[in-house]
Amino acid sequence: NTLGFTNDQMHPLFLWVTAGTVGGFLLALLALPSKRFGVLGDIALVLIVIAAWMDSQSTVLTRPHDLYLSQTLLATASAMFLASALLQGFGEVIAGGMKNIVSFVAVFSGGQALAGLIGQAWLATLLQDRQRLHYERLLEHMQLSDPQVVQRLAQLGGAYASTLNDTAARSTQALGLLAQQVTQQSYVLAYNDLFRAVALVSTLGFLVFAGAKTHRWHRARRAVPAHASAAPVASS
């Protein structure tokens, strides 16, 4: 939308995102027999890191078809992560005799809604802050005395040569177009920062989960010798 594309022009991208979302849920269902939902969540985080980093290389020349692969991966990974968390939690509820099903549904749905609101607010704030910062930095390097800026204004003003005879009016229109292009460029740079932030958060999440699993593995290994040494004492 920032680059000027309408929803009609992005319908193929929406279809790819929809297909990726459905595919993510189906992949989660395939992991249901093995119950390796933790591994599925780890794979989802890695895919999110890859997709977000791909989108962080966007420019003003990026078009919807350039985002097919990255956004499909992102949709697939998001669906996988959500489905793996849901199935893992629901499995624990079933193992407990379904007595906590209402609490689980309430906590899970409420947690998703709250996390969605917090995440959306944080990302929107980050986007606006980075956009303002990039806009100010871009303006710092643009002086009307710069020959390149003068040449660019002349090119933009030339587009109105056939409709505007007033030189001052053409200059005003050229300045408006230049400001619009600077704003657009600042938003692209801000979105790149946002995608890098998503990749960073996903990486930190992966490391936290990996550290927790490693800790549980070491704790289980330490517990095995203790049980082995206690068995002969009990038999004697």
Side-chain angles (χ1 to χ4, degrees):
N1 290 333
T2 299
L3 295 177
F5 292 93
T6 63
N7 288 339
D8 292 339
Q9 294 172 295
M10 293 191 291
H11 280 166
L13 177 60
F14 296 155
L15 291 175
W16 278 104
V17 171
T18 302
T21 303
V22 175
F25 282 112
L26 292 178
L27 288 174
L29 291 178
L30 292 177
L32 188 59
S34 63
K35 297 182 179 180
R36 298 179 66 100
F37 303 120
V39 176
L40 196 66
D42 293 339
I43 295 175
L45 286 174
V46 172
L47 291 179
I48 291 175
V49 172
I50 294 174
W53 188 256
M54 291 172 61
D55 282 348
S56 69
Q57 312 303 315
S58 301
T59 67
V60 292
L61 300 178
T62 298
R63 297 297 179 260
H65 65 267
D66 297 322
L67 305 176
Y68 286 170
L69 177 59
S70 59
Q71 289 297 304
T72 302
L73 282 177
L74 191 60
T76 302
S78 300
M80 284 173 55
F81 191 89
L82 177 62
S84 63
L86 178 62
L87 291 173
Q88 186 172 4
F90 197 71
E92 297 292 336
V93 171
I94 294 177
M98 300 291 290
K99 60 182 179 180
N100 296 322
I101 181 64
V102 176
S103 299
F104 170 74
V105 173
V107 172
F108 189 86
S109 59
Q112 289 297 315
L114 181 61
L117 291 174
I118 294 175
Q120 184 178 5
W122 173 64
L123 291 178
T125 302
L126 175 64
L127 178 65
Q128 294 300 322
D129 288 343
R130 298 302 298 177
Q131 187 272 330
R132 285 194 295 267
L133 178 62
H134 286 299
Y135 186 80
E136 293 173 357
R137 288 179 176 176
L138 289 173
L139 288 182
E140 288 178 358
H141 300 285
M142 299 183 63
Q143 303 293 332
L144 293 179
S145 58
D146 189 342
Q148 293 183 349
V149 176
V150 174
Q151 181 180 6
R152 184 58 179 167
L153 289 174
Q155 293 173 349
L156 294 174
Y160 298 94
S162 59
T163 57
L164 291 176
N165 295 324
D166 188 353
T167 305
R170 287 202 303 267
S171 299
T172 301
Q173 293 293 335
L175 284 172
L177 285 177
L178 183 60
Q180 182 180 354
Q181 291 179 356
V182 172
T183 301
Q184 187 181 70
Q185 179 66 39
S186 65
Y187 267 110
V188 171
L189 295 174
Y191 270 108
N192 287 344
D193 292 340
L194 183 146
F195 290 131
R196 293 189 186 99
V198 171
L200 176 61
V201 171
S202 300
T203 301
L204 293 176
F206 177 84
L207 294 176
V208 169
F209 290 149
K213 291 178 181 179
T214 303
H215 175 71
R216 288 197 300 267
W217 181 75
H218 283 295
R219 187 173 60 182
R221 286 197 61 184
R222 289 194 298 267
V224 171
H227 288 300
S229 59
V233 175
S235 60
S236 61

